[in-house]
Amino acid sequence: MSAIFGIINKSRNLLPPDTVQRISQVLQHRAIDGMDVWSAPYMVLAHFKLAMNEAERRQSMPLLTEDLVITADIRLDNRHYLLQQTGAPANCTNIVLLLHAWKKWKEACVAHLEGEYAFCIWNKVTQQCFLATDHIGFRALYYYDSPEVFIFCSEQKGVEAFKPSPPRFNEVSLIEYYFRQSCPAATYDADIWNLCGGNTLVLANGMM
């Protein structure tokens, strides 16, 4: 599976110049077919590629349009339905098909997607970030939110590596997990959350 990562400085302060290098070091084991990055002065979106076919190997990720940046760990199983509904090219990659689904349904597109996915769509015009995971939660996505910064990643350790505050061990969640009573969104770090399967998250004006 591929992996995705994003960091947004809410105060629009410049990210450290070594941010991309640090990202590549933390998640280099997921970059089987390379790592691609889109960056602005105050944010970075990254894609660590595991291509399933030649078309995906050639596909540049994150996917850029005039107003959107999309990074996705995605495999769509209902391509025939989506192609019929959106008019996307028959041989397009899954991330391009996601783009067409977004253009047709916007945030409601997740109701039409079947398969495994975790993705981020950044709207450069509205400055809004949309995250989503598949209905079962096959593809993991973790996030951290504070007044200063928002971070998400396919692996929790990717968030840990950039979270400005030190880890806060969530012992209650760990104990409750074994009694099957824990909050499914909680993790072993009290500041980091799991975007559970079938959920979406919108970051707009620095607020979720």
Side-chain angles (χ1 to χ4, degrees):
M1 293 183 290
S2 298
I4 61 175
F5 174 91
I7 180 168
I8 303 171
N9 190 312
K10 294 181 179 181
S11 59
R12 305 295 178 88
N13 292 330
L14 299 180
L15 294 175
D18 64 342
T19 298
V20 173
Q21 180 182 359
R22 289 176 58 201
I23 295 170
S24 64
Q25 292 173 346
V26 172
L27 292 171
Q28 61 181 334
H29 62 288
R30 299 292 293 268
I32 307 303
D33 292 304
M35 168 187 167
D36 292 311
V37 173
W38 175 86
S39 63
Y42 59 91
M43 67 178 294
V44 168
L45 297 180
H47 183 95
F48 303 84
K49 185 185 297 183
L50 174 58
M52 296 291 102
N53 51 56
E54 187 59 32
E56 289 188 355
R57 192 167 287 109
R58 295 194 305 267
Q59 175 73 63
S60 178
M61 301 184 192
L63 178 64
L64 306 179
T65 71
E66 185 177 348
D67 58 343
L68 302 175
V69 184
I70 304 176
T71 184
D73 174 22
I74 188 168
R75 191 203 75 221
L76 295 173
D77 296 332
N78 61 333
R79 287 181 58 89
H80 180 70
Y81 165 80
L82 293 172
L83 290 170
Q84 282 188 326
Q85 293 293 315
T86 65
N91 60 347
C92 68
T93 60
N94 284 322
I95 196 169
V96 172
L97 191 51
L98 171 62
L99 169 63
H100 282 263
W102 177 266
K103 287 181 176 179
K104 182 176 178 64
W105 295 299
K106 294 297 188 288
E107 295 175 8
C109 70
V110 293
H112 300 268
L113 305 178
E114 295 180 7
E116 302 180 13
Y117 56 83
F119 65 80
C120 166
I121 298 180
W122 171 256
N123 190 311
K124 293 182 285 187
V125 178
T126 63
Q127 299 286 286
Q128 291 188 356
C129 178
F130 179 79
L131 302 179
T133 53
D134 64 73
H135 305 295
I136 303 299
F138 287 116
R139 307 284 170 110
L141 195 61
Y142 299 91
Y143 67 93
Y144 165 84
D145 183 57
S146 75
E148 297 80 26
V149 66
F150 178 80
I151 308 169
F152 70 86
C153 186
S154 297
E155 294 191 15
Q156 185 169 344
K157 73 174 186 177
V159 180
E160 295 279 5
F162 289 87
K163 185 166 72 81
S165 58
R168 290 197 305 128
F169 182 54
N170 188 355
E171 59 184 16
V172 173
S173 176
L174 185 62
I175 294 170
E176 290 180 345
Y177 172 81
Y178 289 102
F179 290 94
R180 301 182 184 278
Q181 297 176 339
S182 62
C183 170
T187 71
Y188 60 78
D189 188 322
D191 296 323
I192 298 177
W193 300 89
N194 172 30
L195 187 62
C196 298
N199 280 273
T200 63
L201 183 155
V202 177
L203 183 72
N205 298 318
M207 304 287 291
M208 291 196 302

